[in-house]
Amino acid sequence: MNGIYEHCMAAADHIRKKIDADGAIGIILGSGLKKLSEEITDPIIINYQDIPYFPVSTLNPNDSRFIFGHLEGKKVLCIKTPLYYYEGFDMSDVVMPIRVMKLLGVKLLIITNAAGGINESFKEGTLMFIDDFINYMGDNPLRGPNIEEFGPRYPDMSKAIDPAYNAKAKKIAEDLGVKTKSGVYIGFQGPSFETPAEIRFARKAGADAVGMSTVPEIITARHCGLPVIGISCISNMAAGITEKIQTVEEVNETTRNVEVQFKKLIMGLVEKL
Ligand code: HPA
């Protein structure tokens, strides 16, 4: 035993003293999509710094927190600042929040992220349901001794995204009048953006959107039996798809512009899923 399970248990025990997240919906708020957290009522903030063994974001140390509360009358546990592999963390640290959510009794995880559009029918602001993914990050969160308490050595990934929740979520989006697409997300390690050649390669491999996150979280959720769905906000078209060079400012600006639609969608999902 390498201590990962014990560390997750200790973290969960600490959090359980402050909140009851049993049956809550977990939400990861990707870059530029943080504003949703302002809608949470009766918020209880749990800073990563205070949780035993918990990694703290190097990008936003002061905003590394869970926010627990209610959205549309439902219990939610939000991750305000995800941990990125490119920050230098071990994969087991990147996915610790997911495992702790499972131990706390979270019933469904909704992952959101900002991603580059590879599919040429997409444009900036497109919201894409992640139907499947390609792990191109060069690592896997399940590498190393298997933690039997969480799941099997060789977990099936043929339905990594929960098909029933995903279908229901798309129907809810349609009923709300929020336009969405569906596609395959490819995870690169980052932090450099991709080259045009890498994006041509990813397109040929069947990817519709590209990012630097989410894949470890989906694999881990699936491994530990936590149903997961994902939505990418296309913040820019990927390298070589358009002539423009992408910048972090551009990513944030686009996500700010689609925030209204995005908020409406997530609130609808929380209410109805
Ligand atoms: N590439 C990788 N990650 C991203 C991108 C991109 O073009 N846009 C937002 N996150």
Side-chain angles (χ1 to χ4, degrees):
M1 178 51 69
N2 46 19
I4 293 172
Y5 183 69
E6 286 72 12
H7 291 177
C8 289
M9 288 285 277
D13 285 346
H14 171 90
I15 297 169
R16 242 184 247 111
K17 290 188 190 120
K18 301 180 188 303
I19 60 168
D20 172 13
D22 194 38
I25 295 181
I27 307 173
I28 300 181
L29 300 173
S31 6
L33 304 170
K34 313 289 176 200
K35 279 245 167 118
L36 187 79
S37 65
E38 292 169 10
E39 304 289 332
I40 297 174
T41 52
D42 317 315
I44 297 175
I45 288 167
I46 303 162
N47 289 311
Y48 289 0
Q49 270 108 336
D50 301 330
I51 307 172
Y53 306 110
F54 224 74
V56 174
S57 163
T58 62
L59 303 174
N60 277 310
N62 298 325
D63 213 14
S64 287
R65 48 180 57 167
F66 284 111
I67 304 175
F68 174 78
H70 291 84
L71 260 187
E72 303 290 355
K74 298 272 194 72
K75 276 202 262 188
V76 291
L77 183 58
C78 272
I79 290 179
K80 185 96 184 281
T81 303
L83 305 163
Y84 297 94
Y85 188 57
Y86 64 71
E87 290 180 71
F89 294 116
D90 284 346
M91 273 291 184
S92 59
D93 285 330
V94 171
V95 300
M96 186 168 176
I98 311 304
R99 289 175 162 155
V100 169
M101 277 187 164
K102 171 69 182 178
L103 292 173
L104 292 171
V106 166
K107 70 162 189 179
L108 165 70
L109 176 62
I110 302 174
I111 305 183
T112 69
N113 61 37
I118 299 179
N119 185 322
E120 289 184 23
S121 79
F122 292 0
K123 52 185 192 306
E124 288 160 6
T126 296
L127 296 174
M128 182 194 92
F129 278 102
I130 300 172
D131 281 347
D132 203 348
F133 68 82
I134 297 170
N135 180 7
Y136 200 65
M137 296 182 82
D139 201 348
N140 189 302
L142 307 182
R143 180 170 178 271
N146 184 47
I147 307 172
E148 292 293 326
E149 290 88 345
F150 283 123
R153 171 76 293 186
Y154 301 108
D156 176 33
M157 288 291 146
S158 60
K159 294 188 177 85
I161 297 291
D162 189 276
Y165 274 120
N166 200 28
K168 214 171 151 193
K170 288 179 189 180
K171 175 77 172 55
I172 292 167
E174 200 183 312
D175 292 347
L176 286 170
V178 176
K179 280 203 186 115
T180 60
K181 303 265 190 175
S182 300
V184 172
Y185 176 94
I186 185 167
F188 276 66
Q189 196 177 114
S192 54
F193 282 111
E194 303 71 34
T195 64
E198 285 170 336
I199 293 301
R200 286 195 298 276
F201 160 82
R203 184 67 194 134
K204 287 205 169 119
D208 298 291
V210 57
M212 305 171 192
S213 65
T214 305
V215 167
E217 287 88 345
I218 298 174
I219 293 173
T220 304
R222 176 74 178 136
H223 178 243
C224 69
L226 171 58
V228 57
I229 60 171
I231 302 160
S232 291
C233 170
I234 303 301
S235 53
N236 57 281
M237 294 309 285
I241 302 283
T242 58
E243 287 303 310
K244 272 185 4 196
I245 307 290
Q246 60 271 60
T247 63
V248 168
E249 289 71 32
E250 184 191 12
V251 170
N252 290 337
E253 192 189 318
T254 305
T255 48
R256 265 197 303 277
N257 291 340
V258 289
E259 210 161 274
V260 177
Q261 289 293 93
F262 172 72
K263 243 195 219 176
K264 186 171 161 185
L265 175 57
I266 300 296
M267 310 258 292
L269 296 182
V270 169
E271 185 190 349
K272 301 202 170 78
L273 279 176

